[in-house]
Amino acid sequence: MGLTKQYLRYVASAVFGLIGSQKGNIVFVTLRGEKGRYVAVPACEHVFIWDLRKGEKILILQGLKQEVTCLCPSPDGLHLAVGYEDGSIRIFSLLSGEGNVTFNGHKAAITSLKYDQLGGRLASGSKDTDTIVWDVINESGLYRLKGHKDAITQALFLREKNLLVTSGKDTMVKWWDLDTQHCFKTMVGHRTEVWGLVLVSEDKRLITGASDSELRAWDIAYLQEVEDVEEPEPKKSKASSPGIQDTHEPEEGTPETDETPEDRILTCRKAGSIMREGRDRVVNLAVDRTGRILACHGTDSVLEVFCILSKAEVQKKMDKKMKKARKKAKSFDLIHSPQGELKAVFLLQNNLVESYSLHPSAPAPQPVRTSRITIGGHRSDVRTLSFSSDNIAVLSAAADSVKIWNRATLQCIRTMTCEYALCSFFVPGDRQVVIGTKTGKLQLYDLASGNLLETIDAHDGALWSLSLSPDQRGFVTGGADKSVKFWDFELVKDENSTQKRLSVKQTRTLQLDEDVLCVSYSPNQKLLAVSLLDCTVKIFYVDTLKFFLSLYGHKLPVICMDISYDGALIATGSADRNVKIWGLDFGDCHKSLFAHDDSVMYLQFVPKSHLFFTAGKDHKIKQWDADKFEHIQTLEGHHQEIWCLAVSPSGDYVVSSSHDKSLRLWERTREPLILEEEREMVRTRAYTECAGGWVSGETQGDNYFTGKKTIETVKAAERIMEAVELYREETAKRKEHKAICKAAGKEALTLPLQPSAYVLEIFKGIKSSELEESLLVLPFSYVPDILKLFNEFIQLGSDIELLCRCLFFLLRIHFGQITSNQMLVPVIEKLKETTISKVSQVRDVIGFNMAGLEYLKRECEAKSEVMFFADATSQLEEKKRKRKKREKLILTYT
């Protein structure tokens, strides 16, 4: 039996070159007690925290494997809610940078996240058309709200009412009563998708933005307020009753209607419209904490800022508009400083973050750009990558710049302006770099000074490929002008100094019949491989340029290729998604591999081996064995098409670039990789994705179930079943032991550990966010034993809140089976008595503790003359003031 070939696993090491992704939104966050200085931006599956003042990345929130789509900071500034492409939500602590809570309930990408005023509840909207309200403190879902017919675009809590308002791409705005979890009003006045909404003027006015240039303003009147301020009049018919118009817009074809049940909570009337400068759809609406500044931006490069005026200010002027930002803004956030300064931060589509400041009270307010984060990434996609000979530096080049990165620190150490780059390499010695451009030019840069040394017109079309000669004295280029050119390095006199500088000169030209897409030297420099637009690869002798071999078989042009270190094999990757391995001795095809689900964009051998990497437009990097023709591993991390990759000369590192603007570093570990185990992991992952069925209101007919079945919930249910089965076995053994001892006239042994205690520990070990889903997949055969155990635990006073939560959930989902089982009637009766008494005791303890805290609060206030909890008590004072005002109005009318 032969020895098994051993492979080493490559793992993701870091993400760099990315300032922010385009799918998510940018938000201000509070760190180290400072507001307006730090921003959080989505970065593929991570979240980066940037310091606007220093332009530095200070924190990385390591996320899930899915791309980030939505961010929302908590009101206290201590946490950040992050929504992902697969519908999951993770709550991160901004103090530790760890994500301790994960919610799984949606089956599509998260599109909206919003905390309530106190930060105890989180509303999430998704492309699956559902809105879920989560209990952040208890780490569980409260209810699922179903009603929209298309993706949710925004969800907002009202401050003083237990209501929620949502908008969707179905042109609807819906109002939800969270006490009863039902939709009591639907606004159908919009004729296009509603992309955003905000509440202003103390939740008395709603502003919505749709796919047109109109921002609609709606006046909100709550039923209690309407009744209190109305003058008593003789009884009228329903048609003449005041304050009961429908929310639909009369001018858009929807007539006013009589009072309906939905008007019993609140009424909405259209107050007017604000015409935007932009003619396209609204991308985002935002309002600052004071409710005075409203900002809106569309798909153009304009941010429109409106000042919401008071009634006195409305008589003087209407609204103010201004243009902000340089490029197309993907998202923005606002913050209002105590000094009256308005700060806005933008995440632009070209991988750029900008911040502006504005003084609205100034006579002629003008926005001023305060900071800009640019050095951390390219403005466009990186199309070429290269490693230095010592593995320390990484070169990346895009449409406008060349950047040199330190591999160890991932910091950009040099940025140089260039034309649209397509290929590159480090000149031997690592002091200069050569860039091939889309216009057919060669650009030579000096790294020490960052200067462009020389620009040479090499080809009449795009210069697609460069290949350094093995003797390191020159290189070869291939372009769209159907030619291959040979170049040698030389030293020439520098006009600006007495020293000589590096230059290149053309020595030979090989003219062909088709456009050249890729060129590659063999390691012994005897052969040159040239990929042509006619889907073939032709091999030439380097010394005589005579034709040697033609490799044909691909159905589409060969985009990339590489020759192994010993010159025995050549691997070619094509737009037909296949990789072919050829022998360079006779040109025979050893194997054809279906490598990717889309075009193969790059291919490179690992030095000193027959292993090679491929990158494709299917977002994946794959490693292959060219001897055994086996797929070794898949490196997943990029979220869009991969353009290129580079393998370090030592083979320990791989760097890749993608259309998602990120550069990713992969590192070879010392961990052995076993192919059978790797394939089993892939099969398990695929099974989990396919078998993770949804358990929501769709199948249960109830808005209560908010989660979905995951591998974690299934494992938790299995642990519960194992604990119950162990409890049954141990209980049976103890009964048998007691019976034997009784028959023998001996006293049975009393064991200190009860089998039921292990079951309780299992329940306590399940995450709060996964508890309901774990109980939901539990077979009913285990429920009777669990109910009996719950009665025992509650009598002992152990974990009353946890046990009651589990008990009520089991009663809700198994109500029919429990009530029809006569054996469980005594158990339910005992549970009723025990639960009521123990819950009353817990409530009394909480009441006593609250009274003690109130007493301590009064004592501290009396000593220090400082009012605590001002924010919480101010709401109560405002309610009292409004109540007194209504009472005065009623006395006046009577």
Side-chain angles (χ1 to χ4, degrees):
M1 181 177 179
L3 296 175
T4 302
K5 188 172 182 178
Q6 188 182 60
Y7 304 100
L8 294 179
R9 183 184 302 277
Y10 282 82
V11 297
S13 177
V15 177
F16 64 104
L18 177 66
I19 295 177
S21 300
Q22 284 73 44
K23 278 197 174 182
N25 58 302
I26 186 172
V27 293
F28 277 104
V29 293
T30 303
L31 281 180
R32 302 164 186 171
E34 293 192 44
K35 295 182 179 180
R37 178 175 176 179
Y38 303 100
V39 293
V41 297
C44 295
E45 72 274 19
H46 305 313
V47 176
F48 291 165
I49 308 296
W50 291 93
D51 186 340
L52 293 177
R53 187 178 303 172
K54 297 181 179 180
E56 297 178 355
K57 187 195 310 177
I58 64 169
L59 183 63
I60 299 178
L61 305 181
Q62 301 284 345
L64 307 175
K65 291 186 178 181
Q66 298 293 324
E67 195 167 7
V68 175
T69 59
C70 191
L71 300 177
C72 181
S74 62
D76 57 9
L78 299 178
H79 299 86
L80 182 69
V82 181
Y84 292 90
E85 184 73 25
D86 62 349
S88 61
I89 303 168
R90 175 169 282 192
I91 310 296
F92 287 91
S93 170
L94 292 177
L95 298 179
S96 62
E98 297 180 355
N100 299 322
V101 180
T102 302
F103 295 131
N104 289 290
H106 292 285
K107 57 184 178 181
I110 301 296
T111 56
S112 173
L113 289 173
K114 195 67 178 179
Y115 280 95
D116 66 356
Q117 187 180 9
L118 299 178
R121 293 179 298 176
L122 177 68
S124 62
S126 170
K127 287 184 179 180
D128 61 6
T129 73
D130 292 347
T131 303
I132 299 180
V133 180
W134 307 90
D135 187 344
V136 178
I137 299 175
N138 203 27
E139 302 178 9
S140 62
L142 294 177
Y143 23 79
R144 183 189 299 265
L145 307 176
K146 305 174 68 65
H148 283 282
K149 303 301 181 184
D150 208 334
I152 308 297
T153 57
Q154 187 64 277
L156 295 176
F157 286 97
L158 273 70
R159 295 185 180 181
E160 298 184 359
K161 303 287 184 180
N162 195 24
L163 305 177
L164 184 75
V165 57
T166 60
S167 62
K169 292 174 68 175
D170 56 359
T171 75
M172 305 293 184
V173 175
K174 289 182 176 290
W175 293 83
W176 306 84
D177 185 353
L178 298 183
D179 292 327
T180 59
Q181 298 99 51
H182 82 286
C183 175
F184 65 88
K185 180 182 286 291
T186 301
M187 300 166 58
V188 295
H190 302 85
R191 293 294 176 261
T192 56
E193 297 94 337
V194 183
W195 291 98
L197 51 86
V198 292
L199 290 164
V200 297
S201 303
E202 298 181 351
D203 291 351
K204 299 294 181 61
R205 179 162 290 173
L206 177 70
I207 298 177
T208 59
S211 294
D212 50 20
S213 59
E214 181 182 1
L215 296 180
R216 296 168 175 82
W218 311 80
D219 282 336
I220 304 171
Y222 304 107
L223 176 63
Q224 186 177 5
E225 297 176 2
V226 173
E227 292 178 346
D228 288 343
V229 300
E230 282 181 358
E231 295 186 10
E233 296 181 1
K235 188 175 182 180
K236 299 180 181 179
S237 62
K238 289 185 178 180
S240 61
S241 299
I244 56 174
Q245 285 81 2
D246 198 2
T247 65
H248 308 165
E249 300 179 48
E251 65 271 17
E252 293 191 15
T254 305
E256 298 184 2
T257 59
D258 294 337
E259 182 176 5
T260 59
E262 64 187 26
D263 290 319
R264 296 173 186 170
I265 299 179
L266 59 80
T267 59
C268 287
R269 298 186 185 89
K270 186 175 181 182
S273 298
I274 304 173
M275 301 307 297
R276 300 189 299 116
E277 183 177 323
R279 298 300 178 185
D280 210 337
R281 74 172 182 90
V282 171
V283 174
N284 195 9
L285 281 174
V287 65
D288 69 334
R289 292 185 181 273
T290 64
R292 292 271 297 169
I293 303 297
L294 170 68
C296 169
H297 83 87
T299 57
D300 53 10
S301 59
V302 178
L303 175 75
E304 299 179 65
V305 182
F306 304 92
C307 181
I308 302 174
L309 307 177
S310 63
K311 291 183 179 180
E313 293 170 327
V314 168
Q315 304 300 324
K316 299 179 181 179
K317 55 183 178 180
M318 293 295 293
D319 53 1
K320 297 179 181 180
K321 298 182 180 180
M322 61 187 69
K323 294 183 179 181
K324 302 174 82 174
R326 303 285 182 177
K327 297 289 184 179
K328 295 182 179 180
K330 176 62 184 178
S331 66
F332 71 94
D333 195 18
L334 297 174
I335 190 171
H336 211 286
S337 66
Q339 294 78 20
E341 182 185 15
L342 178 67
K343 293 183 178 181
V345 62
F346 302 89
L347 172 59
L348 307 183
Q349 288 186 345
N350 59 348
N351 197 25
L352 181 67
V353 170
E354 288 184 345
S355 65
Y356 288 78
S357 65
L358 177 71
H359 292 274
S361 58
Q366 290 294 330
V368 178
R369 190 174 73 189
T370 56
S371 63
R372 199 179 190 200
I373 301 176
T374 60
I375 196 172
H378 290 273
R379 307 286 75 78
S380 58
D381 295 356
V382 173
R383 301 307 297 264
T384 177
L385 293 165
S386 297
F387 268 101
S388 62
S389 59
D390 55 4
N391 305 320
I392 294 178
V394 178
L395 179 149
S396 64
D400 57 352
S401 64
V402 179
K403 289 182 178 289
I404 307 298
W405 307 83
N406 185 305
R407 179 195 52 78
T409 62
L410 303 181
Q411 297 297 317
C412 179
I413 57 180
R414 184 71 68 193
T415 300
M416 300 166 288
T417 304
C418 72
E419 296 185 16
Y420 199 117
L422 295 177
C423 48
S424 64
F425 67 84
F426 279 88
V427 176
D430 298 336
R431 295 185 178 182
Q432 296 88 16
V433 294
V434 176
I435 304 295
T437 70
K438 196 173 184 179
T439 57
K441 297 179 181 179
L442 282 173
Q443 292 186 311
L444 181 62
Y445 290 88
D446 180 66
L447 295 184
S449 61
N451 296 329
L452 174 62
L453 298 178
E454 189 176 2
T455 299
I456 302 170
D457 293 325
H459 292 267
D460 295 333
L463 201 164
W464 290 112
S465 181
L466 293 168
S467 180
L468 182 66
S469 61
D471 62 6
Q472 300 186 349
R473 295 182 178 180
F475 59 94
V476 64
T477 62
D481 58 355
K482 305 178 183 179
S483 65
V484 175
K485 296 185 179 182
F486 295 81
W487 307 80
D488 285 344
F489 296 114
E490 65 174 355
L491 292 176
V492 298
K493 184 177 180 181
D494 193 352
E495 298 177 356
N496 299 325
S497 66
T498 59
Q499 298 180 350
K500 293 185 177 182
R501 65 169 179 83
L502 185 70
S503 181
V504 296
K505 65 176 181 179
Q506 182 183 348
T507 58
R508 292 184 297 171
T509 301
L510 174 63
Q511 198 65 36
L512 299 167
D513 297 331
E514 297 287 342
D515 291 5
V516 178
L517 301 180
C518 188
V519 293
S520 180
Y521 270 114
S522 64
N524 57 11
Q525 205 171 331
K526 291 184 178 180
L527 301 176
L528 176 69
V530 181
S531 167
L532 301 177
L533 195 61
D534 60 0
C535 309
T536 64
V537 176
K538 297 188 181 298
I539 312 297
F540 296 90
Y541 290 105
V542 174
D543 51 357
T544 63
L545 298 184
K546 290 184 177 180
F547 174 76
F548 174 52
L549 291 172
S550 180
L551 311 179
Y552 56 90
H554 284 287
K555 297 179 181 178
L556 291 174
V558 174
I559 300 176
C560 52
M561 63 182 177
D562 196 17
I563 299 176
S564 62
Y565 75 102
D566 54 4
L569 301 175
I570 179 174
T572 57
S574 168
D576 61 7
R577 302 176 291 179
N578 292 320
V579 169
K580 293 182 181 292
I581 302 172
W582 316 76
L584 265 182
D585 46 3
F586 301 107
D588 56 324
C589 181
H590 293 181
K591 189 69 174 180
S592 180
L593 305 171
F594 183 78
H596 292 269
D597 296 330
D598 209 330
S599 300
V600 182
M601 299 302 297
Y602 211 85
L603 184 152
Q604 187 172 352
F605 274 95
V606 177
K608 306 300 179 181
S609 73
H610 281 183
L611 307 180
F612 64 91
F613 285 94
T614 59
K617 282 189 176 181
D618 58 356
H619 316 171
K620 297 177 181 178
I621 299 172
K622 296 184 179 181
Q623 187 184 21
W624 306 84
D625 188 339
D627 292 330
K628 295 188 175 182
F629 316 123
E630 288 186 323
H631 172 216
I632 300 174
Q633 64 173 327
T634 301
L635 305 179
E636 295 180 307
H638 285 292
H639 300 282
Q640 295 190 41
E641 298 92 338
I642 300 175
W643 298 124
C644 60
L645 61 82
V647 182
S648 65
S650 65
D652 291 332
Y653 302 97
V654 176
V655 64
S656 57
S657 70
S658 168
H659 185 51
D660 61 14
K661 300 290 194 303
S662 69
L663 302 178
R664 290 180 181 264
L665 183 66
W666 312 85
E667 183 176 358
R668 181 165 61 185
T669 64
R670 301 299 100 185
E671 176 190 357
L673 188 149
I674 301 174
L675 294 182
E676 289 74 12
E677 294 181 358
E678 190 74 12
R679 291 165 184 165
E680 182 64 28
M681 290 174 60
V682 172
R683 286 192 293 266
T684 303
R685 191 182 303 115
Y687 171 78
T688 303
E689 293 175 357
C690 296
W694 294 89
V695 284
S696 63
E698 298 174 2
T699 57
Q700 301 292 336
D702 191 358
N703 288 339
Y704 182 79
F705 306 112
T706 59
K708 66 178 181 180
K709 182 167 69 173
T710 62
I711 191 66
E712 288 78 14
T713 59
V714 173
K715 289 181 179 179
E718 291 176 351
R719 291 198 301 270
I720 295 175
M721 290 187 288
E722 291 175 359
V724 173
E725 290 174 356
L726 182 61
Y727 163 76
R728 292 172 178 172
E729 295 176 2
E730 291 296 326
T731 304
K733 290 180 180 179
R734 294 195 178 198
K735 288 183 178 179
E736 182 181 357
H737 175 68
K738 289 182 179 179
I740 294 175
C741 292
K742 186 176 180 180
K746 299 180 181 180
E747 184 178 355
L749 296 175
T750 303
L751 300 178
L753 181 62
Q754 298 296 325
S756 59
Y758 178 69
V759 180
L760 180 60
E761 291 298 323
I762 291 297
F763 275 98
K764 291 165 64 176
I766 299 175
K767 290 183 179 180
S768 180
S769 58
E770 301 172 356
L771 187 59
E772 280 84 1
E773 288 75 23
S774 302
L775 293 174
L776 192 62
V777 299
L778 196 67
F780 180 75
S781 58
Y782 294 90
V783 173
D785 291 319
I786 292 177
L787 293 179
K788 295 175 183 178
L789 289 171
F790 281 178
N791 184 42
E792 177 183 340
F793 298 149
I794 294 175
Q795 286 180 351
L796 298 175
S798 304
D799 299 282
I800 301 299
E801 296 181 9
L802 172 65
L803 295 175
C804 288
R805 178 182 170 189
C806 297
L807 173 62
F808 298 152
F809 185 82
L810 289 175
L811 291 176
R812 184 179 291 108
I813 63 177
H814 297 297
F815 178 78
Q817 292 173 289
I818 292 175
T819 54
S820 61
N821 192 336
Q822 297 296 325
M823 301 293 294
L824 292 178
V825 173
V827 179
I828 298 300
E829 290 293 336
K830 292 180 181 179
L831 277 171
K832 177 182 177 182
E833 298 175 1
T834 308
T835 304
I836 292 175
S837 62
K838 293 298 181 180
V839 170
S840 299
Q841 293 178 11
V842 173
R843 184 181 58 210
D844 293 342
V845 172
I846 294 175
F848 179 82
N849 292 338
M850 291 181 64
L853 291 174
E854 288 290 334
Y855 173 76
L856 293 175
K857 171 191 167 186
R858 291 193 297 268
E859 289 292 323
C860 292
E861 289 176 351
K863 291 180 180 179
S864 59
E865 298 181 356
V866 175
M867 295 297 295
F868 290 150
F869 313 121
D871 293 338
T873 57
S874 61
Q875 300 177 9
L876 180 61
E877 303 241 342
E878 184 68 17
K879 290 182 180 179
K880 290 181 180 179
R881 186 184 63 79
K882 290 183 179 180
R883 190 182 303 113
K884 290 180 180 179
K885 184 177 180 181
R886 288 195 296 267
E887 292 175 355
K888 289 180 180 179
L889 289 174
I890 294 174
L891 292 175
T892 302
Y893 292 138
T894 56

